[in-house]
Amino acid sequence: MSNLNNTDRELRHFRNRIMALAVLVLFCFFLLLLRFVWLQVVRHSNYVAQAEENRISIVPTMPSRGIITDRNGVVLANNYSAYTLEITPAKIEGKVDEVIDELSLFIDITSRDRKRFRRRMEETKRFESIVLKSKLTDEEVARFIVQRYRFPGVEVQARMFRQYPLGEVAAHAIGYIGRISQKDIDRLPEEEETNYQGTTHYGKEGIEKSYERVLHGVTGYEEMEVSASGRAVRTLSTRSTVPGNNLVLSIDIELQRVVEEAFGKRRGALIAMDPATGEILAYVSKPAFNPNLFVDGIDQQNWDELNTSINRPLINRPVRGAYPPGSTYKPFMALAALELGYRTPRAAISDPGYFLYGNHRFRDDKVGGHGIVDMYKSIVQSCDTYYYILASEMGVDTMHDFMKQFGFGEQTGIDLPHERKGILPSTEWKRNAYRNPNQKKWYAGETISLGIGQGYNTFTPLQLAYATALLVSNGSAARPHLVKEIEDGVTHERKPVVTETVRLELKQENIEVVKRAMAGVVKEGTAARVFGGAGYVSGGKTGTAQVIGIGKNEKYNAVALAEHKRDHALYTAFAPVDNPKIVIALIVENAGFGASAAAPIARKAMDYFFLGKKPVSEGSTRGVPEPDDYPEGPDEVLQPILTPAIPEEENTEEE
């Protein structure tokens, strides 16, 4: 009996403890419920606001783009800071157009700004903010700061802008940057895309394009706590930017100015280079353009003026313009004849003033001919007949195989985009170039005009300069390049840019024959009047290249032709003769004879290079006829000049 009572008592105590524990648990749950009600109901709106107002944002910070200078430290491209008015459309309450209308009440927002903003909204959706207006004045910044509370999602930002202090000078070499597009992003390697987050500009042409990743730098970031309106609350973490590397170009900007002034209003191109290093000393393409127009998006009016101009200022002529080389090709033909055993230096022909091939007469520029002509005289007096005969004997494929080693018909590898190959014709080239079976065939008569740099021959001024460098430097020259040194943006340590040196297997005695004749061109030949009294010994070759063919029994008359159908003037030069430090190749479009239009520009360039002389008056070009206004543009001059399969007659006006 006693045991039963004890068991009942223990059960009652156990039940009491369970009840107490249950009451405690229920009380705790009740407290939790009260807390949940307090947080979720009573304080709901408060905490929602706090949650919405505080967010984590990764904000890219743009590196400073590298500076570009010439070889002497003259700044060609730099950066400056300015304020921009930017809108983040996702943070705008209401319509974006309405916000812009309100902003325009105290900030001058033009129709161009509006159009550009709409275009950027379509093209740059990946960016957090879009620039509405660039380069705000201090007064405009102050006005906005006062009114900023009214415009969530609108901010004033300090950004770096690109500037080209010299405007049109060396514009085609330097190039320009412009607004980054989705196409630019798509072309980036996958590992580079992160580095371009937040980037607004990208190299579009010239050195700015080919060295884009060198100039860009490394993008940094700030991990920030920001309010719903986009205002920073605090910085959580940062990664510093690394500025882009600087570029030192090989161009001497003063030499560049001298040449550009010598061209005046004329169209054309000039390359001056050091054959030993491949450094480009002057890179001229005329007419030029102002690269500053493109930095923030070129307006329609300026674009139409540049893009539709008959003078085609946007064409980068040294690497994109393909022209017949004219008589500047003759020294290479002479060297080929010596190397391949077709001629000796003393072997001579009798020039009657033409070369008869079948029933077709290829005329020399000199009526009655040059008389007895050996190799020296053929170059000094630029005798066409000598090279008509030589081309006929050698054949197109033999010429092609020899000339190819000089870089004709091949890209030089210069550090610029869009370089053309030009055309070094051969029978194989023609078979591949045409679809019509009749056009695929090579006719023997087509070979004749190749000997004087006409026919299918079309090369860029850069190719002509590089080939000349190989010739006059005894078969050895470095490939051309524009960047001389790359300077680290942080340490400022400089690393030189070195390119491949090409060496040709040529006989020195044959090279000397050709160089002596090119020196004779300056001493007693077609360029003697231009280089008289020069304080240095140079060699050269004048050239005049046809743009259109002249029919049978017709004589070339420049006055009777439209300006863009007139002959091109060319000149190649080097100095000193024994150890060349500079090689020049230039063309003046539709300017006539190389001796009167092109050689004087080379003289001015060399006078400055060797003697430090500058033109007496700005824009003067002594010895060069005054240019016309050129009412008609060179529609054909940058395209290959194709001759009929067997021309009835060639009429080439020479020096």
Side-chain angles (χ1 to χ4, degrees):
M1 191 69 179
S2 174
N3 290 335
L4 291 173
N5 289 335
N6 291 336
T7 300
D8 290 339
R9 190 166 50 248
E10 289 176 0
L11 286 173
R12 282 196 302 271
H13 288 165
F14 178 76
R15 291 190 186 102
N16 290 337
R17 287 196 294 268
I18 292 296
M19 289 296 294
L21 182 61
V23 170
L24 179 62
V25 170
L26 288 173
F27 180 76
C28 290
F29 273 108
F30 180 74
L31 291 178
L32 286 174
L33 181 62
L34 287 178
R35 183 62 178 168
F36 286 150
V37 171
W38 173 258
L39 294 175
Q40 297 295 328
V41 178
V42 179
R43 300 285 293 173
H44 175 268
S45 59
N46 216 11
Y47 287 115
V48 166
Q50 289 184 36
E52 287 296 318
E53 288 176 358
N54 294 280
R55 300 176 180 178
I56 304 300
S57 177
I58 305 297
V59 181
T61 54
M62 293 302 97
S64 176
R65 192 173 181 86
I67 294 172
I68 302 175
T69 66
D70 86 329
R71 67 188 301 119
N72 298 313
V74 178
V75 176
L76 307 179
N78 60 8
N79 310 303
Y80 68 95
S81 179
Y83 291 105
T84 61
L85 184 65
E86 303 185 13
I87 296 178
T88 306
K91 297 179 180 179
I92 294 295
E93 297 177 2
K95 295 182 178 180
V96 174
D97 288 340
E98 293 176 357
V99 173
I100 295 176
D101 289 339
E102 290 186 47
L103 289 168
S104 65
L105 296 176
F106 54 91
I107 293 179
D108 181 22
I109 299 173
T110 65
S111 59
R112 181 191 171 197
D113 293 329
R114 292 172 183 263
K115 291 178 182 177
R116 189 165 51 195
F117 178 80
R118 293 191 193 99
R119 186 174 67 248
R120 289 173 181 172
M121 281 187 64
E122 297 174 358
E123 296 177 351
T124 58
K125 294 177 182 178
R126 60 172 292 169
F127 299 116
E128 292 185 359
S129 63
I130 302 172
V131 175
L132 173 61
K133 182 177 177 61
S134 300
K135 304 171 189 175
L136 299 177
T137 65
D138 291 341
E139 184 179 349
E140 287 175 327
V141 172
R143 288 175 187 167
F144 175 76
I145 295 299
V146 173
Q147 302 287 335
R148 181 165 58 179
Y149 70 95
R150 296 173 49 202
F151 300 98
V154 183
E155 285 291 339
V156 167
Q157 300 285 353
R159 291 192 180 271
M160 300 299 291
F161 287 86
R162 199 65 158 172
Q163 182 185 41
Y164 303 98
L166 302 185
E168 294 187 0
V169 179
H172 288 90
I174 302 166
Y176 57 84
I177 66 171
R179 298 287 302 184
I180 193 169
S181 67
Q182 189 59 46
K183 290 182 180 179
D184 297 325
I185 296 168
D186 292 342
R187 283 193 289 263
L188 288 170
E190 188 175 343
E191 63 273 13
E192 286 285 336
E193 288 188 19
T194 303
N195 193 39
Y196 276 80
Q197 288 184 357
T199 297
T200 58
H201 289 77
Y202 192 87
K204 299 291 186 177
E205 290 295 339
I207 288 297
E208 291 276 28
K209 179 174 183 176
S210 53
Y211 285 84
E212 163 60 34
R213 293 173 206 166
V214 176
L215 291 163
H216 180 269
V218 179
T219 299
Y221 69 81
E222 290 184 338
E223 186 180 23
M224 304 187 72
E225 186 179 344
V226 297
S227 67
S229 63
R231 296 181 185 178
V233 175
R234 61 192 175 103
T235 300
L236 302 178
S237 64
T238 62
R239 185 183 75 180
S240 300
T241 61
V242 178
N245 294 327
N246 303 320
L247 299 181
V248 179
L249 302 191
S250 57
I251 288 176
D252 180 337
I253 207 63
E254 289 304 317
L255 174 62
Q256 180 86 15
R257 287 182 198 266
V258 167
V259 174
E260 291 193 13
E261 289 176 4
F263 266 90
K265 294 181 180 180
R266 295 171 179 270
R267 299 181 302 274
L270 178 144
I271 291 288
M273 65 178 287
D274 181 341
T277 63
E279 294 175 1
I280 301 295
L281 305 172
Y283 185 99
V284 175
S285 181
K286 294 286 287 183
F289 61 90
N290 188 342
N292 291 299
L293 295 172
F294 292 87
V295 174
D296 203 32
I298 189 169
D299 61 87
Q300 193 63 44
Q301 180 180 348
N302 280 313
W303 172 250
D304 289 341
E305 289 178 2
L306 291 172
N307 195 43
T308 62
S309 171
I310 56 178
N311 291 324
R312 305 168 80 179
L314 295 178
I315 294 291
N316 194 341
R317 285 167 163 83
V319 295
R320 292 294 298 163
Y323 309 87
S327 291
T328 61
Y329 203 52
K330 291 174 180 176
F332 299 95
M333 287 292 296
L335 183 61
L338 294 172
E339 288 285 318
L340 301 177
Y342 284 90
R343 292 288 185 277
T344 63
R346 290 186 170 275
I349 65 155
S350 177
D351 174 23
Y354 61 87
F355 172 64
L356 196 62
Y357 186 81
N359 296 324
H360 305 284
R361 178 174 292 193
F362 293 83
R363 290 182 292 190
D364 197 287
D365 68 297
K366 185 176 181 181
V367 178
H370 294 270
I372 303 300
V373 180
D374 62 5
M375 184 169 287
Y376 178 85
K377 187 176 179 180
S378 75
I379 294 175
V380 171
Q381 296 189 10
S382 199
C383 174
D384 290 343
T385 305
Y386 185 95
Y387 293 97
Y388 289 146
I389 299 171
L390 180 58
S392 177
E393 293 178 15
M394 292 177 66
V396 60
D397 288 333
T398 299
M399 286 188 285
H400 169 274
D401 294 344
F402 183 84
M403 299 302 178
K404 186 177 180 180
Q405 64 183 323
F406 286 90
F408 289 119
E410 303 287 333
Q411 292 180 335
T412 65
I414 191 173
D415 45 357
L416 283 176
H418 315 308
E419 183 183 7
R420 278 179 83 173
K421 286 186 174 182
I423 296 175
L424 179 63
S426 67
T427 54
E428 181 182 1
W429 165 81
K430 197 177 183 191
R431 282 195 302 270
N432 296 329
Y434 292 95
R435 294 182 180 179
N436 189 320
N438 293 329
Q439 292 178 309
K440 289 176 175 289
K441 182 180 178 181
W442 185 272
Y443 296 93
E446 293 176 309
T447 305
I448 311 303
S449 58
L450 298 180
I452 61 167
Q454 290 286 167
Y456 292 104
N457 285 326
T458 52
F459 312 126
T460 66
L462 179 62
Q463 286 173 332
L464 187 57
Y466 178 54
T468 303
L470 281 168
L471 171 60
V472 303
S473 297
N474 306 325
S476 176
R479 291 195 177 275
H481 59 100
L482 275 163
V483 175
K484 177 180 172 68
E485 295 173 321
I486 298 177
E487 180 184 79
D488 189 281
V490 177
T491 65
H492 300 292
E493 178 186 355
R494 290 188 176 185
K495 293 183 178 180
V497 174
V498 180
T499 58
E500 172 196 16
T501 296
V502 175
R503 291 178 173 83
L504 305 181
E505 296 296 327
L506 302 170
K507 295 179 180 178
Q508 187 61 37
E509 61 267 27
N510 293 335
I511 293 175
E512 292 300 329
V513 170
V514 176
K515 287 175 65 176
R516 185 172 66 87
M518 294 179 75
V521 170
V522 175
K523 183 179 179 181
E524 57 179 314
T526 52
R529 292 180 59 185
V530 175
F531 280 86
Y536 47 86
V537 180
S538 70
K541 184 67 190 81
T542 51
T544 305
Q546 279 186 341
V547 174
I548 61 170
I550 303 298
K552 188 175 182 179
N553 299 324
E554 291 184 18
K555 186 172 182 177
Y556 176 80
N557 183 359
V559 177
L561 293 172
E563 189 270 339
H564 69 280
K565 294 182 179 180
R566 298 172 190 169
D567 293 345
H568 298 319
L570 299 99
Y571 191 71
T572 55
F574 64 99
V577 170
D578 294 335
N579 184 23
K581 301 298 182 184
I582 186 173
V583 170
I584 293 175
L586 73 108
I587 182 169
V588 187
E589 291 178 8
N590 312 117
F593 300 133
S596 60
I601 297 177
R603 168 71 190 265
K604 286 184 177 295
M606 286 190 166
D607 280 356
Y608 174 78
F609 183 80
F610 288 108
L611 309 175
K613 291 183 179 180
K614 292 186 177 181
V616 176
S617 60
E618 206 171 290
S620 66
T621 309
R622 184 180 177 186
V624 181
E626 289 296 321
D628 299 323
D629 290 333
Y630 299 141
E632 299 185 69
D635 295 331
E636 305 94 350
V637 300
L638 299 177
Q639 301 300 324
I641 308 301
L642 305 182
T643 57
I646 301 183
E648 287 190 353
E649 187 170 277
E650 292 289 334
N651 177 23
T652 304
E653 293 289 340
E654 279 298 329
E655 304 74 39

